[in-house]
Amino acid sequence: MNNESFGSAPVRVIVIGAGNRAQKYLEYARRFPERLRPVAVADLNGQRRRSLARAFSLPERACFARYEELLAAEIDADMVLVTTPDGVHYDPAVRAIRAGYHVLLEKPIAQRWDECLEIARLAREQGVLVGVCHVLRYHPYFTKIRQLVASGELGDIVSINHTVSVGLDRMTHSYVRGAFRRTRESNPILLAKCCHDIDFLLWLTGKRCRRLSSFGALRWFRAANAPEGSAERCIDCPVEPTCPFSARDLYYVRRDWVDNFDIPEGGTLDDAILRELRAGPYGRCVFRCDNDVADHQIVALEMEDRSTISLTMDAFTKDDFRKTCIRLTGGEIDGDERRLRVRRFRPADERLYDFSEVLGQPFHAGADLRLLEDFLQSVRDPSRPLLAGIDDALESHRVCYAAEESRMTGRTVDLRTEER
Ligand SMILES: NC(=O)c1ccc[n+]([C@@H]2O[C@H](COP(=O)([O-])OP(=O)(O)OC[C@H]3O[C@@H](n4cnc5c(N)ncnc54)[C@H](O)[C@@H]3O)[C@@H](O)[C@H]2O)c1
């Protein structure tokens, strides 16, 4: 985007939730201060609030602990970035829309289907934009797959097999010990982890889902499976040296997944890690947490054109990527985020695309920043369609909630009768 297409003054953003995701999106404001300017922040965590205020020279009067107060303060701004935890999306989004701001909302939209619908309805009523942070739509690898399918050169999709390898470390960090471990405070794991995937798969097919079934459970990370003699915390545990789920090994030895530990003012990363291991949620034995989300799940979708999609969410693997196999009437596509192989049946040919350079690049390979830029352009010109707007996101959320219903009831859910 060049500066002319962007306008003369920066878009003014209010930030609600100054955590990990906000920091990612605000990289855009650091790189392009002439395009995006934070003007106020709300976060319950004083350290994070102060750090954001310092980074963008916000005055004290623009910093709030409670978003309710911030949104009642009638601050002059164009948009609100909602990057609070899943359980704190609906209320700030609704308040921001009612106050007339455009809203860029982290996924999942909310915690219930009726709340998702209400946000979309209110946005239409108020004439404001709501973007949902489905970053895969802006990621070079996933965009390439979408281009290949949309070009029609391989015919129509017949079936898709998609595997999301969550990986042991992410699983134990986020879905056993961490913020996404309980449905009530967060969401079912399919929404928390795989709503991006469902969104991507629906985006690929361009079709609606007719019916679906899902199975899955919390099979392993429960008290009954705690090894004999194991302790409440890994740091005190005699079994820890051989346990694949050790927090001491993950955080202290390998230094993985430590980015969201707040380093105490004047302290070190070691202090933060040791504090977690001794007293924080991330030091707990994986068999003794208060988690309830599934640790494996499968979903089978039948689409309106009778094509089928299967999605498998795996946690018990060292892999931490997505694999997609697409079978079309004229060819096939297989990808694992590193490599994409495209084979056409006739005239027969095979192409390979290498994404290994892209994999692991920061900001989801730049997708976070492209998503934000897309949103800013639509803020400047609200008639311009958003690539990740709320209406598309509604469809993937509808499917995820239906999958959870199927998993819990054991029934196939028919989506043909459901109204939006
Ligand atoms: N799009 C993606 O790829 C992606 C990736 C990771 C997380 N997420 C989503 O982003 C959201 C935020 O995740 P995160 O990793 O940044 O979490 P985080 O914990 O790092 O940040 C959330 C911030 O919100 C603050 N907060 C909590 N309750 C609040 C309240 N009532 N009022 C004001 N502030 C409050 C916390 O203090 C924290 O600083 C989650 O919904 C998560 O599902 C999206």
Side-chain angles (χ1 to χ4, degrees):
M1 186 168 73
N2 58 40
N3 279 335
E4 278 103 73
S5 72
F6 189 73
S8 54
V11 170
R12 297 155 305 167
V13 61
I14 290 171
V15 180
I16 299 184
N20 173 44
R21 293 304 298 160
Q23 289 305 333
K24 298 278 193 290
Y25 297 119
L26 291 179
E27 174 66 14
Y28 194 90
R30 284 184 206 98
R31 291 187 191 180
F32 304 107
E34 71 286 5
R35 298 180 191 173
L36 181 68
R37 183 158 62 86
V39 291
V41 59
D43 198 303
L44 295 175
N45 179 319
Q47 194 178 337
R48 292 185 176 189
R49 203 168 60 232
R50 284 191 294 279
S51 138
L52 192 141
R54 261 196 309 275
F56 295 100
S57 310
L58 300 184
E60 188 59 36
R61 64 175 186 285
C63 302
F64 297 77
R66 297 174 55 82
Y67 67 82
E68 295 89 335
E69 285 166 22
L70 189 164
L71 290 173
E74 300 187 0
I75 287 173
D76 211 7
D78 304 293
M79 64 175 280
V80 174
L81 176 66
V82 178
T83 38
T84 34
D86 293 16
V88 196
H89 285 188
Y90 175 72
D91 191 55
V94 163
R95 285 173 195 255
I97 294 167
R98 287 209 172 107
Y101 299 115
H102 299 300
V103 175
L104 182 57
L105 177 59
E106 253 309 350
K107 50 54 61 176
I109 302 172
Q111 287 183 292
R112 296 200 320 252
W113 174 231
D114 60 323
E115 292 177 342
C116 300
L117 286 176
E118 177 61 6
I119 290 177
R121 191 195 65 75
L122 264 179
R124 275 194 296 274
E125 189 179 287
Q126 293 287 325
V128 301
L129 294 169
V130 175
V132 179
C133 298
H134 279 310
V135 292
L136 298 189
R137 288 183 179 230
Y138 299 86
H139 188 289
Y141 165 84
F142 294 96
T143 305
K144 183 70 196 173
I145 300 180
R146 155 86 180 176
Q147 275 170 0
L148 287 164
V149 170
S151 74
E153 59 169 312
L154 300 173
D156 294 340
I157 293 176
V158 177
S159 63
I160 305 179
N161 206 329
H162 182 81
T163 304
V164 185
S165 293
V166 179
L168 274 188
D169 294 345
R170 183 191 295 272
M171 184 72 203
T172 56
H173 176 82
S174 298
Y175 304 100
V176 179
R177 297 186 174 104
F180 306 100
R181 67 188 183 278
R182 292 176 62 76
T183 300
R184 205 187 143 102
E185 286 83 40
S186 165
N187 254 308
I189 192 166
L190 196 71
L191 269 135
K193 177 63 189 149
C194 302
C195 72
H196 286 309
D197 298 273
I198 297 285
D199 178 72
F200 165 65
L201 295 167
L202 297 181
W203 186 47
L204 272 189
T205 64
K207 300 282 183 284
R208 298 190 81 192
C209 175
R210 275 179 103 229
R211 42 189 195 149
L212 62 79
S213 287
S214 180
F215 299 93
L218 177 55
R219 158 84 176 73
W220 187 240
F221 297 113
R222 349 164 25 118
N225 296 318
E228 206 160 320
S230 57
E232 294 285 324
R233 290 193 166 269
C234 300
I235 201 161
D236 310 314
C237 183
V239 182
E240 184 278 327
T242 56
C243 178
F245 316 112
S246 161
R248 185 183 167 279
D249 179 52
L250 175 61
Y251 303 121
Y252 193 73
V253 179
R254 287 189 279 137
R255 304 275 157 155
D256 275 343
W257 291 93
V258 291
D259 286 354
N260 72 329
F261 292 172
D262 285 322
I263 299 176
E265 271 157 332
T268 64
L269 178 61
D270 264 30
D271 298 332
I273 295 173
L274 287 170
R275 185 172 67 183
E276 275 303 329
L277 292 179
R278 289 188 186 118
Y282 294 100
R284 293 180 294 174
C285 168
V286 287
F287 301 105
R288 293 183 170 83
C289 293
D290 51 348
N291 54 313
D292 64 11
V293 299
D295 54 22
H296 66 118
Q297 187 166 356
I298 55 175
V299 187
L301 312 180
E302 182 189 53
M303 307 303 286
E304 60 189 346
D305 64 350
R306 300 300 177 121
S307 59
T308 53
I309 299 176
S310 77
L311 178 145
T312 302
M313 187 205 71
D314 277 341
F316 293 83
T317 166
K318 291 184 86 78
D319 291 346
D320 182 6
F321 54 84
R322 296 163 160 107
K323 244 188 234 165
T324 312
C325 304
I326 307 170
R327 306 296 173 240
L328 302 102
T329 51
E332 55 190 313
I333 301 173
D334 293 275
D336 62 4
E337 296 193 43
R338 281 172 189 75
R339 263 172 32 126
L340 201 53
R341 186 184 65 183
V342 181
R343 290 187 290 185
R344 192 172 54 191
F345 298 149
R346 287 191 86 179
D349 73 15
E350 176 168 324
R351 275 169 283 158
L352 288 177
Y353 298 92
D354 185 357
F355 286 87
S356 44
E357 294 284 301
V358 168
L359 195 77
Q361 278 180 8
F363 308 104
H364 288 124
D368 297 344
L369 307 181
R370 281 190 286 277
L371 178 144
L372 190 74
E373 184 164 283
D374 188 41
F375 191 78
L376 296 181
Q377 280 186 293
S378 291
V379 166
R380 283 293 178 229
D381 174 10
S383 65
R384 183 187 164 274
L386 265 180
L387 184 57
I390 182 120
D391 286 330
D392 284 343
L394 276 185
E395 192 58 17
S396 52
H397 284 58
R398 182 175 85 118
V399 164
C400 289
Y401 286 114
E404 185 62 3
E405 182 189 331
S406 172
R407 185 180 80 84
M408 298 305 282
T409 60
R411 286 201 290 270
T412 295
V413 176
D414 193 328
L415 289 162
R416 281 170 296 186
T417 51
E418 284 218 350
E419 287 301 317
R420 279 242 302 250

